[in-house]
């Protein structure tokens, strides 16, 4: 694989992350790049790995879902080399992000994770954000890991109804 192409793919990922200013899931990045047939899955994996190794992007993993965001160093790098991305590719990215804006935002603004706590229980943390402001942050202790996983999965499915219920009951 020519280095110029790898550099272009890295710049595409950096541009996407910079443009949205939210965390994007791997599936969202790959959806764009693979659908447009810019490269294949294996090359994209290498690109993401290289960007992580050089600390141009950072990751946040929750329930087998990995989200990426651009670092300050990534922004600097993009500002130096953005000219290498053609206008046609920038247009493709901008169109994709515009069409998928709500979907991308919703996926990044709802998080659920769990971890083991010293009492041999699991702590579940459910968060809903809007414009980087936490609307709700719920922590629940549960006795077993399976229950923690189920709560996290249900939060992704039903967070709007749960938030609405809480607001109706509390206000």
């Amino acid at each position: 694989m020519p280095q110029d192409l790898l550099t272009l793919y890295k710049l595409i990922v950096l541009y996407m992350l910079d443009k949205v200013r939210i965390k994007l899931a791997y599936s969202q990045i790959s959806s764009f790049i693979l659908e447009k047939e810019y490269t294949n899955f294996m090359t994209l994996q290498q690109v993401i790995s290289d960007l992580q190794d050089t600390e141009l992007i950072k990751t946040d993993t929750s329930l087998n879902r990995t989200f990426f965001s651009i670092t300050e160093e990534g922004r600097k790098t993009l500002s130096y080399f953005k000219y290498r991305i053609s206008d046609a590719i920038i247009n493709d990215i901008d169109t994709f992000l515009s069409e998928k804006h709500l979907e991308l935002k919703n996926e990044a603004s709802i998080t659920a994770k769990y971890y083991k706590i010293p009492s041999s229980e699991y702590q579940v943390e459910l968060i809903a954000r809007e414009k980087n402001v936490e609307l709700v942050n719920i922590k629940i202790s549960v006795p077993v890991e399976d229950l923690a996983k189920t709560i996290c999965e249900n939060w992704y499915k039903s967070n709007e109804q749960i938030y609405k219920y809480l607001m109706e009951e509390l206000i």
Side-chain angles (χ1 to χ4, degrees), residues 2-12 81 84:
Q3 187 60 36
D4 284 350
L5 285 177
L6 282 175
T7 300
L8 174 61
Y9 304 145
K10 291 175 187 177
L11 290 170
I12 289 171
F81 299 105
R84 290 187 177 186

Side-chain angles (χ1 to χ4, degrees), residues 110-121:
I110 304 302
T111 58
K113 60 185 174 186
Y114 68 90
Y115 44 89
K116 194 168 182 82
I117 55 177
S119 65
S120 296
E121 290 188 333

Side-chain angles (χ1 to χ4, degrees), residues 40-58:
N40 60 42
F41 178 79
M42 293 304 291
T43 302
L44 180 57
Q45 286 289 100
Q46 179 185 349
V47 164
I48 295 291
S49 179
D50 289 352
L51 289 170
Q52 289 175 291
D53 291 346
T54 55
E55 298 182 355
L56 298 178
I57 64 174
K58 60 184 174 183

Side-chain angles (χ1 to χ4, degrees), residues 64-76:
N64 298 329
R65 294 165 41 127
T66 302
F67 291 92
F68 299 94
S69 57
I70 190 169
T71 63
E72 200 52 47
E73 194 61 36
R75 280 193 181 87
K76 287 179 190 174

Side-chain angles (χ1 to χ4, degrees), residues 18-161:
D18 186 57
K19 189 75 175 178
V20 293
R21 303 236 181 229
I22 60 172
K23 295 176 183 179
L24 290 180
Y26 179 82
S27 60
Q28 295 166 324
I29 295 169
S30 65
S31 170
F32 170 75
I33 291 177
L34 299 177
E35 282 177 20
K36 291 292 185 180
E37 298 181 352
Y38 287 123
T39 191
N40 60 42
F41 178 79
M42 293 304 291
T43 302
L44 180 57
Q45 286 289 100
Q46 179 185 349
V47 164
I48 295 291
S49 179
D50 289 352
L51 289 170
Q52 289 175 291
D53 291 346
T54 55
E55 298 182 355
L56 298 178
I57 64 174
K58 60 184 174 183
T59 61
D60 179 27
T61 303
S62 173
L63 280 182
N64 298 329
R65 294 165 41 127
T66 302
F67 291 92
F68 299 94
S69 57
I70 190 169
T71 63
E72 200 52 47
E73 194 61 36
R75 280 193 181 87
K76 287 179 190 174
T77 300
L78 180 63
S79 71
Y80 296 137
F81 299 105
K82 184 178 170 184
Y83 71 91
R84 290 187 177 186
I85 308 172
S86 73
D87 290 340
I89 293 173
I90 286 178
N91 187 46
D92 283 348
I93 296 169
D94 291 346
T95 300
F96 173 81
L97 295 175
S98 175
E99 289 173 356
K100 305 277 187 178
H101 176 71
L102 283 176
E103 181 183 321
L104 298 174
K105 184 179 168 188
N106 286 342
E107 197 167 332
S109 64
I110 304 302
T111 58
K113 60 185 174 186
Y114 68 90
Y115 44 89
K116 194 168 182 82
I117 55 177
S119 65
S120 296
E121 290 188 333
Y122 290 84
Q123 181 84 37
V124 179
E125 186 172 15
L126 312 170
I127 301 173
R129 289 182 187 83
E130 187 171 296
K131 296 181 183 176
N132 292 328
V133 174
E134 280 188 7
L135 298 175
V136 65
N137 184 334
I138 302 169
K139 291 184 180 181
I140 304 168
S141 293
V142 296
V144 293
E145 185 176 13
D146 287 345
L147 186 54
K149 283 182 185 178
T150 300
I151 290 170
C152 290
E153 290 166 3
N154 287 335
W155 178 246
Y156 283 115
K157 293 176 194 168
S158 305
N159 61 77
E160 289 179 30
Q161 297 91 324

